[in-house]
Amino acid sequence: MSRSSRPLALLGALGAAAALSAASAAPAAAQSIFDRLRQAANVARTLLPISTEKEIDIGRGIAATIAGRYPVSTDAALTRYVNLVGLTVASIAPRPDISYHYAVLETPDVNAFAAPGGYIFITRGALRLIRNEAELAGVLAHETGHVNARHVINQIRKSDTMREVKNQVDIQGGVLDQLVGSGSNMLFMGLSRGDELQADSLGLEYASAAGYDPGGLAAFISRLSQHAGEGPLADFQATHPKPDERIERLTAIAQREHLAGGAVLAERYKENVR
């Protein structure tokens, strides 16, 4: 199967969410993703680990906090479509220890959030700014990169609350609530510049390896810069690196890795996102 036909094949079946497990093996082009994740894991070994089970507990709490701030869309068809695109890019470098869940937030604000454990949100405002499926795939792949690199969890591990935690059993009750609060604040205030740029790199590789046009994420970021200063973009602009820097870096990576071509799917996006 050609790279550009992959989104069509994976999204063509209505039962694609289940079928995606068969695509869990990452192609050679995505091997560098795993190399970077292993390097990050080595750096974090000196900190008290947070198990996958506890990561999911924390992520579920953060997801509930996000859903309490913004209403979650009840549009089943839209939610299904966003999940199919998200699962397509997530299948490139999956974490077999978690399940990915994608949801739409009913707010004109332009933003997206990635809670630990695979809970990923994109706002209606962002969907209105996106022009095609390749751009949507790029944005969801960026957020999936945050989850796979455990960016929020790695920051939580450095928090004051974790200094008192001696083992996994301690991460419950009030301690769990504090960690959920810390993680939620991190997402609303913004992750580090390094985390955002790494998520850009991972998102580019996920989307391209899944068969999408590698320029999707950069095109969306470019459009963000054209709407600088507008109210719905305020939070996004305050919590992310400057668009020009991100675009320049994404372009350089695409050129270095010889990434080109791939599906854009503008009409299918318009049909599913109204």
Side-chain angles (χ1 to χ4, degrees):
M1 180 186 298
S2 68
R3 185 174 68 86
S4 61
S5 66
R6 198 165 185 274
L8 295 172
L10 288 177
L11 287 167
L14 295 181
L20 282 168
S21 59
S24 59
Q31 188 58 43
S32 58
I33 297 170
F34 299 109
D35 292 338
R36 284 198 292 274
L37 291 179
R38 279 193 291 269
Q39 291 169 3
N42 290 334
V43 172
R45 279 177 182 167
T46 57
L47 304 172
L48 182 69
I50 294 177
S51 69
T52 298
E53 179 184 1
K54 296 302 180 181
E55 176 186 358
I56 293 171
D57 287 344
I58 293 169
R60 188 181 297 115
I62 294 174
T65 301
I66 294 171
R69 180 168 179 171
Y70 301 107
V72 175
S73 175
T74 58
D75 186 332
L78 175 62
T79 299
R80 190 162 178 273
Y81 173 68
V82 169
N83 269 271
L84 289 174
V85 176
L87 291 170
T88 298
V89 295
S91 71
I92 296 304
R95 283 184 53 186
D97 54 337
I98 64 170
S99 298
Y100 302 90
H101 308 274
Y102 300 84
V104 176
L105 301 173
E106 293 291 2
T107 171
D109 293 349
V110 176
N111 221 327
F113 303 98
Y119 300 94
I120 296 170
F121 300 87
I122 186 169
T123 65
R124 180 75 74 164
L127 292 178
R128 288 173 181 154
L129 206 58
I130 289 171
R131 293 291 178 266
N132 55 61
E133 195 172 297
E135 292 184 17
L136 174 61
V139 174
L140 296 181
H142 169 99
E143 300 303 327
T144 303
H146 280 308
V147 172
N148 288 358
R150 304 182 97 222
H151 286 151
V152 174
I153 288 296
N154 288 338
Q155 290 303 311
I156 286 176
R157 290 172 70 187
K158 302 173 186 177
S159 67
D160 291 338
T161 302
M162 284 297 294
R163 294 179 184 176
E164 306 300 322
V165 175
K166 304 303 181 184
N167 53 58
Q168 302 295 320
V169 177
D170 291 342
I171 305 177
Q172 59 182 324
V175 171
L176 177 60
D177 290 342
Q178 291 181 54
L179 297 181
V180 167
S182 297
S184 299
N185 289 335
M186 289 175 194
L187 285 187
F188 291 138
M189 293 178 65
L191 299 176
S192 71
R193 174 180 175 276
D195 285 350
E196 291 295 347
L197 293 178
Q198 184 187 29
D200 276 352
S201 300
L202 293 173
L204 171 61
E205 293 189 52
Y206 291 171
S208 178
Y212 287 104
D213 184 334
L217 179 58
F220 174 71
I221 296 171
S222 177
R223 196 168 303 109
L224 290 175
S225 67
Q226 296 170 15
H227 293 265
E230 294 184 6
L233 278 165
D235 287 344
F236 189 94
Q237 292 168 333
T239 59
H240 287 74
K242 293 181 179 179
D244 289 348
E245 176 187 8
R246 297 176 69 189
I247 294 170
E248 181 178 352
R249 192 168 180 275
L250 286 168
T251 301
I253 293 172
Q255 292 176 345
R256 185 187 70 221
E257 302 295 332
H258 305 290
L259 304 177
V264 175
L265 304 175
E267 289 305 316
R268 186 163 75 183
Y269 182 81
K270 293 177 183 178
E271 291 172 0
N272 286 277
V273 181
R274 301 183 185 279

